[in-house]
Amino acid sequence: PSRATSVVRVMIVRGTVRVPGDKSISHRALLIAALARGTSAHTGLLTGEDVRHTAGLLRRLGATVSPLRSGAVVTVRGARFRSPRCALDCGNSGTTARLALGVIAGHPIHARLTGDASLRRRPMRRVVDPLRSMGATFPDGAEHLPLTVRGARLHGIAYDSPVASAQVKSAILFAALASRVPVTVREPRTSRDHTERLFLHLGLNLRAENGIVRYQPSAGAVPAFELGIPGDFSSAAFLIGAAVLAEGGELLIEGVGVNPTRTGFLVALERMGAQVERLNLGALGGEPVADLLVRPALLRGTEVVAAEIPALIDEIPLLAVLASRARGETVFRDVGELRLKESDRLELVAANLRNVGVAAEARGNDLFVLGTDEPPRGPVETARDHRLVMAFAVLGTIPGAAVRLSERRSVSISYPGFFRTLRAIGRGTRHRD
Ligand code: S3P
């Protein structure tokens, strides 16, 4: 039972908008800048809470990070890291926790990391195991936060990761960068490659071929750098979803990162019958960017196979919501990783779709959604998961919908102005976030 109804309607979509900076790249930009010699400057950095936690953590380790204000340049002055006196709070951010474990492991310091109730339930062994075999120690456990990491002068490894996880791959690469040791990482499927692209953009010695990433340290410290950060494709995806479900009009989203390891959502959506035009292709900070032009479409169900999952992992709640408006059934294969995100997204997506009148079910590690024409009506338990809020808010934009969200504040984790922009595209204005 809740009072927070998603009241935003988008019948005719219109406008030109921008989305906030990419969350994954923002974390990485701050972390590498804190390891660099001198003062780096970032434009377009996300100011959401997850990235604020990375900035706060780096300040406690000794780096100087200017305040994170939307639209402002953020400067970072690197420093010799010191052991912080109190526990480092990673909030809701798995990326902060796992990447920071890697960075800290590569320094001769120790730190205790903790986070909110959601983050304290998420698995940490996937990064602890490789960091241990590089020489770091974890005196009070390996499974969950809070935990302590004791860094060291590490040794290099060749690591065969059991999961396709950019956080695991990046923790190892950051540990290697900090300790100046060579590493090789192989993953079962290619996860997002922002760390690799940033290393290459900064002239570091990295090679990525056939799913294997090799890093070889070069002499001297990373020099300070300037970086522009593209709009977050995962945030743009929610606006794309709202535009596809609208009854008319078109929406232009400018300056969005379209790294192919992130845009699997577009591939699945186009198979379902929508068309998203990529215009003005360019590059920013070693990443491809484009303007995305979206029009409403009638959707049909599809099968999303296991090999596609890493490139659309964060968009599955949204794709499931869109599938509930498609003709026929949609199935997502092998999406067990969804249980380990900010909430158990596999069970909660299915349960919330059922709450609003859609036939949906998690069977084993697969998710099934049957499309319907009935307007969605009912309560949605977001579990304070930002992506569940935004996915179901998109469902709430269609005529006749009555989707009642248990809360909506958690959008500030990744997309602080989301509801403002969602309203704006329903009215047809120009909006920059
Ligand atoms: C992220 C990697 C993904 C993704 C998360 C951000 C990153 O997680 O789901 O939202 O920035 O590296 P995994 O590495 O656990 O797959």
Side-chain angles (χ1 to χ4, degrees):
S2 73
R3 289 176 294 113
T5 304
S6 175
V7 288
V8 185
R9 288 271 182 278
V10 183
M11 285 162 75
I12 305 295
V13 69
R14 234 179 246 123
T16 300
V17 297
R18 282 190 174 255
V19 291
D22 186 278
K23 179 154 78 73
S24 291
I25 301 172
S26 295
H27 287 297
R28 288 155 171 79
L30 289 176
L31 288 161
I32 299 199
L35 296 174
R37 175 162 306 168
T39 300
S40 299
H42 303 324
T43 47
L45 196 89
L46 175 65
T47 60
E49 279 166 31
D50 272 14
V51 178
R52 288 183 187 278
H53 278 103
T54 294
L57 178 144
L58 289 171
R59 289 185 189 114
R60 288 194 182 275
L61 289 173
T64 309
V65 185
S66 69
L68 270 56
R69 290 199 199 97
S70 181
V73 173
V74 174
T75 58
V76 182
R77 196 174 67 221
R80 185 184 295 273
F81 283 177
R82 54 172 186 249
S83 300
R85 257 170 296 182
C86 44
L88 301 173
D89 180 13
C90 304
N92 189 249
S93 177
T95 312
T96 303
R98 297 196 181 108
L99 270 51
L101 285 174
V103 168
I104 295 165
H107 287 88
I109 61 169
H110 58 89
R112 189 169 163 79
L113 269 63
T114 190
D116 71 8
S118 150
L119 186 55
R120 281 187 266 118
R121 279 192 296 270
R122 298 179 66 186
M124 292 296 143
R125 181 175 281 285
R126 49 179 63 195
V127 291
V128 167
D129 280 346
L131 295 174
R132 260 187 184 152
S133 53
M134 293 176 80
T137 49
F138 295 83
D140 56 11
E143 304 298 338
H144 299 110
L145 299 189
L147 56 80
T148 301
V149 50
R150 273 183 192 283
R153 171 94 201 168
L154 303 175
H155 37 84
I157 48 165
Y159 190 67
D160 229 325
S161 177
V163 276
S165 162
Q167 294 176 357
V168 171
K169 177 172 60 179
S170 302
I172 298 167
L173 287 169
F174 278 123
L177 179 67
S179 247
R180 296 190 195 167
V181 293
V183 286
T184 300
V185 186
R186 185 200 301 262
E187 46 183 354
R189 294 201 169 88
T190 303
S191 62
R192 60 189 68 189
D193 65 356
H194 302 301
T195 303
E196 296 91 305
R197 283 173 185 266
L198 195 48
F199 273 42
L200 288 169
H201 185 68
L202 299 178
L204 302 176
N205 195 350
L206 179 136
R207 274 190 19 219
E209 273 164 3
N210 309 322
I212 303 175
V213 180
R214 290 194 171 81
Y215 166 72
Q216 192 71 42
S218 20
V222 181
F225 59 98
E226 287 181 7
L227 192 75
I229 294 158
D232 196 323
F233 179 81
S234 294
S235 297
F238 295 107
L239 305 181
I240 295 172
V244 165
L245 292 184
E247 295 186 339
E250 62 178 31
L251 178 68
L252 184 68
I253 313 172
E254 292 178 328
V256 184
V258 288
N259 177 325
T261 62
R262 290 287 298 282
T263 51
F265 169 73
L266 290 184
V267 178
L269 193 64
E270 287 179 345
R271 215 161 56 224
M272 294 172 82
Q275 269 186 18
V276 180
E277 278 182 63
R278 299 161 178 77
L279 309 170
N280 296 322
L281 271 162
L284 188 60
E287 294 276 347
V289 289
D291 300 339
L292 301 176
L293 183 65
V294 200
R295 298 193 184 88
L298 291 177
L299 300 177
R300 53 181 175 269
T302 189
E303 176 168 356
V304 182
V305 299
E308 293 183 274
I309 301 301
L312 50 72
I313 182 77
D314 292 342
E315 283 63 70
I316 294 172
L318 172 66
L319 258 182
V321 154
L322 296 176
S324 79
R325 309 306 300 168
R327 184 159 42 80
E329 189 179 62
T330 294
V331 49
F332 300 87
R333 298 287 179 201
D334 220 357
V335 287
E337 270 291 306
L338 287 188
R339 297 187 196 281
L340 309 175
K341 295 296 176 187
E342 287 83 328
S343 67
D344 179 345
R345 288 184 182 160
L346 184 48
E347 292 302 336
L348 278 172
V349 164
N352 282 317
L353 282 173
R354 288 196 296 270
N355 283 354
V356 298
V358 176
E361 200 188 346
R363 241 182 275 149
N365 285 332
D366 297 341
L367 173 64
F368 296 81
V369 180
L370 188 60
T372 172
D373 288 334
E374 292 297 311
R377 305 180 82 89
V380 165
E381 172 54 60
T382 72
R384 300 211 177 97
D385 180 334
H386 55 134
R387 299 204 197 279
L388 293 184
V389 176
M390 291 186 275
F392 281 91
V394 166
L395 189 59
T397 60
I398 62 183
V403 173
R404 297 194 306 282
L405 302 169
S406 58
E407 56 82 38
R408 44 198 267 176
R409 272 180 45 197
S410 58
V411 298
S412 61
I413 287 167
S414 65
Y415 193 165
F418 171 70
F419 280 100
R420 224 178 327 123
T421 305
L422 191 64
R423 270 193 299 276
I425 65 172
R427 285 194 302 263
T429 53
R430 177 168 263 276
H431 204 87
R432 287 173 178 263
D433 234 306

